[in-house]
Amino acid sequence: KDHVNELPTVTLAVDSLTFPVAGKDTKGAAGSPAVPAWQRWNDYGIGLLRKGSKGSRKGELRQAEDAFSRVERLDRADGPLNLARVYLKEGRLEDARKALIRASAHKGLEQSWTVSWFTGIVNKQNGNLDKAIENFQQALTIARKMGAEDKIAISLNNIGEVYSSLGQYDKAIENYQQALTIARKLGSENMVSKSLMNIEKAKKNIILKEAKE
């Protein structure tokens, strides 16, 4: 089966370079500007985070934690946000929760959807399902304002999964169906497959629930 990656995409860095052209004003056509320290540490940490998992590579998560801590000390919201990603990967849910609170309170936060989404993941894993629904609903609202249909579909699937965990399968299917419609529109095979599997699972659970009653 294809792996379905729900994690938001990450921009490692953005840069530009202006080349001088004969006969044109070359003022400002210099080399690439120096990359700020926080961005270098952040990029380094993301690389480690993507590689770190279990066993022999667990140490890379520790290095990523140190890198993102430096980013936070340099007063960037990316620091605590990416620290939360490290802590989630390590199963340190309380540390992840605290890091997300710091990220959401940061004046320079630009990734509000990501913070709401990760907060929902933490609450879901902690069993705080009502709060998780609130977080994913907030992520859904943000995604709709952004016009980001991929994030809308991801949020809808997450909401459906929490409703399934609560045994509210009809509500779950309603959200899965909406996610499926968007996934088909986007042509995302992975997202279509995930939505269809979620719908089928919810329908089977309804049958089992009715059989017990």
Side-chain angles (χ1 to χ4, degrees):
K1 295 181 180 179
D2 293 338
H3 173 67
V4 179
N5 180 15
E6 287 192 341
L7 290 175
T9 55
V10 177
T11 301
L12 288 176
V14 177
D15 202 354
S16 63
L17 181 63
T18 303
F19 292 96
V21 179
K24 300 290 184 179
D25 183 8
T26 58
K27 184 178 181 180
S32 179
V35 178
W38 75 264
Q39 190 170 316
R40 292 199 302 272
W41 281 112
N42 198 56
D43 293 350
Y44 175 59
I46 289 172
L48 291 167
L49 175 61
R50 288 180 176 275
K51 291 171 63 178
S53 54
K54 297 179 180 179
S56 61
R57 292 189 172 181
K58 197 74 172 178
E60 288 169 338
L61 292 178
R62 293 285 185 262
Q63 291 176 281
E65 179 182 1
D66 178 66
F68 295 139
S69 293
R70 290 173 182 267
V71 175
E72 183 170 13
R73 289 198 293 273
L74 290 168
D75 197 28
R76 292 287 306 190
D78 309 70
L81 177 55
N82 285 325
L83 278 171
R85 297 175 66 203
V86 173
Y87 297 146
L88 270 173
K89 204 164 188 179
E90 291 184 317
R92 297 162 60 184
L93 299 181
E94 180 59 19
D95 287 333
R97 185 187 69 82
K98 291 178 180 178
L100 287 166
I101 289 173
R102 297 198 303 276
S104 63
H106 198 285
K107 63 182 183 297
L109 178 67
E110 297 177 352
Q111 304 177 64
S112 55
W113 180 87
T114 306
V115 170
S116 296
W117 187 83
F118 272 121
T119 303
I121 296 296
V122 170
N123 278 320
K124 181 184 175 185
Q125 292 187 18
N126 271 326
N128 300 323
L129 301 184
D130 290 335
K131 288 184 178 180
I133 287 179
E134 289 180 12
N135 299 139
F136 291 134
Q137 288 283 9
Q138 183 179 26
L140 177 61
T141 299
I142 295 169
R144 282 175 170 159
K145 288 180 179 178
M146 294 167 60
E149 292 191 313
D150 58 334
K151 290 179 171 61
I152 292 172
I154 290 171
S155 302
L156 287 166
N157 263 320
N158 289 133
I159 292 168
E161 287 169 355
V162 180
Y163 275 128
S164 284
S165 297
L166 290 168
Q168 300 180 37
Y169 303 115
D170 289 334
K171 287 185 177 181
I173 290 173
E174 180 183 343
N175 283 277
Y176 293 148
Q177 290 283 11
Q178 292 180 55
L180 177 61
T181 298
I182 295 171
R184 283 175 169 162
K185 178 182 176 183
L186 294 173
S188 172
E189 293 183 6
N190 283 343
M191 204 175 293
V192 167
S193 176
K194 179 178 178 62
S195 299
L196 286 172
M197 287 189 294
N198 282 338
I199 291 169
E200 184 63 24
K201 184 177 179 181
K203 287 181 176 178
K204 287 181 179 178
N205 283 328
I206 288 175
I207 293 172
L208 291 172
K209 183 178 180 181
E210 290 175 346
K212 290 179 180 179
E213 294 174 352

